[in-house]
Amino acid sequence: RIRRRELGCRFNIESFTPSFLSIYKSLVPADEEIVKQKQLLVSLRKLVNKEWSSAQLHLYGSCANSFGVSNSDVDICLSIVDTNMSKSEILLRLADLLQKDNLQNVQALTHARVPIVKMMDPVTGIACDICINNLLAVVNTKLLRDYAQIDERLRQLAFIVKHWAKSRGVNETYRGTLSSYAYVLMCIHFLQQRKPAILPCLQELEATCVVTIDGTRCAYFDQVDRLRNFGVQNNESIAGLLWGFFHYWAYYHDYMNDVISVRTGRLISKRVKDWTRRIGNDRHLICIEDPFETSHDLGRVVDKYSIKILREEFERAADILQYDQNPSITLFEPYVA
Ligand code: CTP
Ligand code: MG
């Protein structure tokens, strides 16, 4: 693979910021949608607590991490301890309760990688997935939300990157491309690396939020109100940042040796993590360390075919931002096979 000669950032890149910002604004969900999600959660809590009085329901994923576009599915985690039931039995019982409560399209997927109940609320039209005891996801959701409050450029960048990934068909883990969660971590890491930095590394600061879940200690500084001015020394705006993001993944990232790590705010080496060879299905062709479950590489879904697709898409995006007359349109042109 030939590396491009180093290019300077396109001289007029910032002139595209207004059009990227208007795309961002069109993707942000309206307040009434957030209200509906909360209402659904309240009614589900009532239903669940009739059956399991001490169970709790938590929102996680894009409806709670502040990276959700409008009309996203709602992800809910049912946290339940004192029961003799297996996960599958709980899911089947839950599906039964939901069905009797007139929720629609209720389906228990007990054999999925993450077992869930899927359903649709006919009142609000919201589609919803409920999983059991996935509390690490609830905590990493809070970490993402806290990062988003520090500098609004993170939300802008991540919304545009997710929109690009969905338009181009590279946000499909079952086909070997990356999850939305992975893309948001890539955006956080990128902003931690800017000079001057736009985001701090919350896990390197004094821990003000500490929980241990399934033996994994999750600790970081969560008083983000105190970090609101963190990125003011850096005045880059969304178009330039997008340019930098895609150029990094197209032409600068060292896929052979490097792991991006939001936990440390730096790149770490694959050797240190023993991620240099394929073990089972983990190939480590693009390495993104989970901030809490540090043995998880979110790039593990990527295989030798999909890495090629992914890197070609990064290159396409980088080239559009470098040369195209209308990057805010061309970038999102749907991929047609
Ligand atoms: N998650 C995780 N580990 C993964 C993938 C996902 O812990 N390997 C958790 C994260 O808490 C994430 C949530 O599951 O926030 C939902 O993941 P995903 O669907 O990738 O992200 P969303 O933010 O919900 O994005 P989308 O808008 O595409 O639904
Ligand atoms: Mg989701």
Side-chain angles (χ1 to χ4, degrees):
R1 180 177 285 270
I2 301 162
R3 267 204 171 187
R4 289 290 168 94
R5 89 191 138 78
E6 301 216 351
L7 289 167
C9 185
R10 176 180 184 160
F11 78 93
N12 64 340
I13 189 70
E14 294 294 359
S15 69
F16 297 106
T17 283
S19 39
F20 282 116
L21 281 182
S22 70
I23 292 172
Y24 162 70
K25 286 186 190 127
S26 72
L27 295 168
V28 173
D31 291 343
E32 59 221 65
E33 195 178 324
I34 314 283
V35 172
K36 280 185 188 168
Q37 291 173 353
K38 295 270 147 66
Q39 281 168 352
L40 174 62
L41 186 67
V42 169
S43 68
L44 289 174
R45 275 193 182 126
K46 277 192 199 137
L47 182 71
V48 162
N49 285 137
K50 267 191 230 156
E51 179 77 12
W52 298 288
S53 58
S54 63
Q56 292 180 307
L57 287 182
H58 306 278
L59 287 177
Y60 75 101
S62 62
C63 57
N65 64 18
S66 73
F67 296 101
V69 302
S70 50
N71 303 316
S72 301
D73 292 2
V74 170
D75 297 307
I76 296 180
C77 167
L78 169 64
S79 142
I80 182 165
V81 267
D82 42 62
T83 169
N84 298 319
M85 296 166 83
S86 71
K87 231 181 216 183
S88 298
E89 286 168 338
I90 297 172
L91 284 172
L92 292 169
R93 180 78 193 113
L94 179 63
D96 200 39
L97 294 172
L98 294 168
Q99 202 133 38
K100 288 192 176 122
D101 202 53
N102 290 326
L103 289 145
Q104 313 222 304
N105 309 340
V106 178
Q107 254 183 305
L109 308 180
T110 52
H111 294 289
R113 191 180 58 83
V114 179
I116 52 169
V117 177
K118 291 181 95 59
M119 55 102 175
M120 206 273 287
D121 173 27
V123 181
T124 56
I126 294 175
C128 180
D129 292 350
I130 306 180
C131 68
I132 314 285
N133 289 342
N134 188 5
L135 289 173
L136 276 165
V138 177
V139 180
N140 67 37
T141 292
K142 175 171 152 57
L143 179 73
L144 266 46
R145 185 175 62 236
D146 286 336
Y147 269 115
Q149 285 179 42
I150 299 171
D151 196 296
E152 63 181 350
R153 287 171 288 185
L154 170 59
R155 268 185 103 203
Q156 295 167 358
L157 180 65
F159 268 72
I160 301 277
V161 168
K162 277 178 64 176
H163 184 47
W164 160 84
K166 286 182 204 286
S167 310
R168 301 299 301 170
V170 288
N171 179 210
E172 297 172 346
T173 47
Y174 61 93
R175 294 174 69 182
T177 54
L178 298 170
S179 65
S180 297
Y181 178 57
Y183 283 114
V184 175
L185 291 173
M186 288 157 78
C187 292
I188 295 173
H189 186 259
F190 175 74
L191 297 181
Q192 288 175 328
Q193 294 285 305
R194 295 316 281 167
K195 307 265 179 301
I198 293 179
L199 290 178
C201 173
L202 295 177
Q203 287 168 276
E204 295 270 283
L205 300 175
E206 170 211 358
T208 51
C209 165
V210 182
V211 282
T212 300
I213 295 160
D214 307 332
T216 300
R217 185 182 134 95
C218 306
Y220 70 97
F221 183 79
D222 74 340
Q223 296 173 7
V224 285
D225 284 349
R226 291 169 54 192
L227 297 171
R228 284 276 159 74
N229 291 323
F230 185 88
V232 293
Q233 300 298 325
N234 183 314
N235 58 20
E236 289 174 292
S237 69
I238 181 64
L241 291 170
L242 271 174
W243 184 100
F245 180 85
F246 284 116
H247 274 76
Y248 174 74
W249 286 102
Y251 302 121
Y252 298 100
H253 181 70
D254 184 348
Y255 289 80
M256 277 290 279
N257 299 302
D258 287 346
V259 176
I260 66 152
S261 163
V262 164
R263 173 180 61 97
T264 59
R266 286 189 291 274
L267 291 165
I268 52 186
S269 106
K270 281 198 196 181
R271 252 173 304 112
V272 169
K273 301 204 61 99
D274 198 21
W275 283 357
T276 49
R277 59 217 146 82
R278 175 174 172 177
I279 298 178
N281 269 336
D282 287 13
R283 295 171 178 89
H284 307 301
L285 300 174
I286 173 172
C287 294
I288 302 154
E289 181 193 58
D290 186 274
F292 298 127
E293 292 175 283
T294 55
S295 64
H296 273 191
D297 175 7
L298 298 166
R300 67 181 178 269
V301 291
V302 177
D303 60 34
K304 63 179 177 184
Y305 303 105
S306 58
I307 188 68
K308 199 163 159 278
I309 293 169
L310 207 51
R311 292 185 64 170
E312 280 168 10
E313 285 298 329
F314 290 139
E315 287 169 26
R316 173 187 177 274
D319 293 350
I320 286 170
L321 288 159
Q322 185 72 22
Y323 301 112
D324 198 272
Q325 296 303 303
N326 289 305
S328 61
I329 294 168
T330 317
L331 195 62
F332 310 106
E333 273 168 7
Y335 175 80
V336 259

